[in-house]
Amino acid sequence: MAIAVKICGITSMDAVDAAVAAGAAYGGLVFHPKSPRFVTPDQARALAAHMRGRLKVVALVADLDDAALAAVIELARPDILQLHGNEDARRVAAIRARFGLPVIKALPIAEADDFAAVPEMETVADMLLFDARPPRGAARAGGHGAAFDWALLAGRSFRKPWFLAGGLEPGNVARAIERSGAALVDVSSGVERAPGVKDAARIAAFIHAAKAAIRLPVS
């Protein structure tokens, strides 16, 4: 299976164009106000329109109520919702049923026991995303540039497609894919020159390295 890349935290038209040119499959817009990658309504509308038909538009949200989710969906018309907060399986199922959009559910990983939540989430989410558990006291769940031990994923199989995220950058993404068996990878801070500012050369280097990686078969 070919490696597919998601460039998350896009804040500019140039970043969209760079992601498309390099061969990304997904583009993420962050609707978390504490993130340096947060997009205003005007930005979100324009960026989503620029992505549409070129990248799958992913709206990243965390613990929003239905009214706030409806506003995000009306604004960005995303292809996919990424739930990156403390949403439990019941909430994930309710969001998917109400809004009729595919859902990626992010799960924080630091040790093997953190995979215990996977079986229940697989019954309600369309895709999973394994991200590094945030530092204690962090104001947001992702985008910290931290990695977890990729070997924790080695040999595991899941019923739903899954992304590897957390601390990935051009210099380590191939190794991460080879150690984890990931077919989908997600990057944000690892392709930036400053928080929230994507770098076209780093995007291209990341995607080239990811697609050149040798992915070991997963049982």
Side-chain angles (χ1 to χ4, degrees):
M1 181 187 294
I3 305 299
V5 176
K6 174 172 171 277
I7 305 296
C8 198
I10 288 176
T11 60
S12 72
M13 299 294 188
D14 286 347
V16 174
D17 292 340
V20 170
Y26 305 83
L29 298 175
V30 175
F31 292 88
H32 193 304
K34 293 183 179 178
S35 170
R37 301 161 191 97
F38 173 71
V39 286
T40 66
D42 286 345
Q43 281 181 301
R45 187 181 294 107
L47 288 167
H50 198 54
M51 288 184 201
R52 194 161 294 114
R54 306 166 76 205
L55 300 170
K56 291 287 187 183
V57 181
V58 181
L60 187 157
V61 299
D63 302 312
L64 294 187
D65 62 22
D66 283 357
L69 278 170
V72 166
I73 290 166
E74 182 177 0
L75 188 70
R77 292 170 48 210
D79 299 296
I80 305 169
L81 288 175
Q82 181 174 323
L83 306 181
H84 217 101
N86 296 310
E87 302 90 357
D88 60 15
R90 188 172 180 177
R91 178 61 177 149
V92 173
I95 289 170
R96 195 179 184 284
R98 172 155 186 172
F99 296 104
L101 286 171
V103 170
I104 301 169
K105 179 63 183 98
L107 296 173
I109 303 294
E111 56 189 33
D113 288 350
D114 291 327
F115 291 100
V118 168
E120 186 178 25
M121 283 301 179
E122 285 184 310
T123 68
V124 293
D126 298 274
M127 308 173 84
L128 303 175
L129 183 146
F130 300 121
D131 199 359
R133 185 175 291 283
R136 187 179 299 276
R140 62 184 191 277
H144 298 283
F148 64 93
D149 182 1
W150 306 314
L152 290 170
L153 282 159
R156 293 182 185 268
S157 59
F158 303 100
R159 289 185 292 145
K160 295 293 177 69
W162 54 275
F163 288 87
L164 177 63
L168 300 179
E169 44 89 11
N172 68 13
V173 65
R175 187 167 71 255
I177 290 166
E178 290 159 6
R179 293 193 68 187
S180 68
L184 303 164
V185 290
D186 178 289
V187 65
S188 187
S189 61
V191 291
E192 292 179 343
R193 60 177 178 269
V197 183
K198 296 292 187 280
D199 182 273
R202 288 184 67 80
I203 288 173
F206 183 93
I207 294 176
H208 175 78
K211 291 182 178 295
I214 300 170
R215 179 174 174 259
L216 298 178
V218 179
S219 60

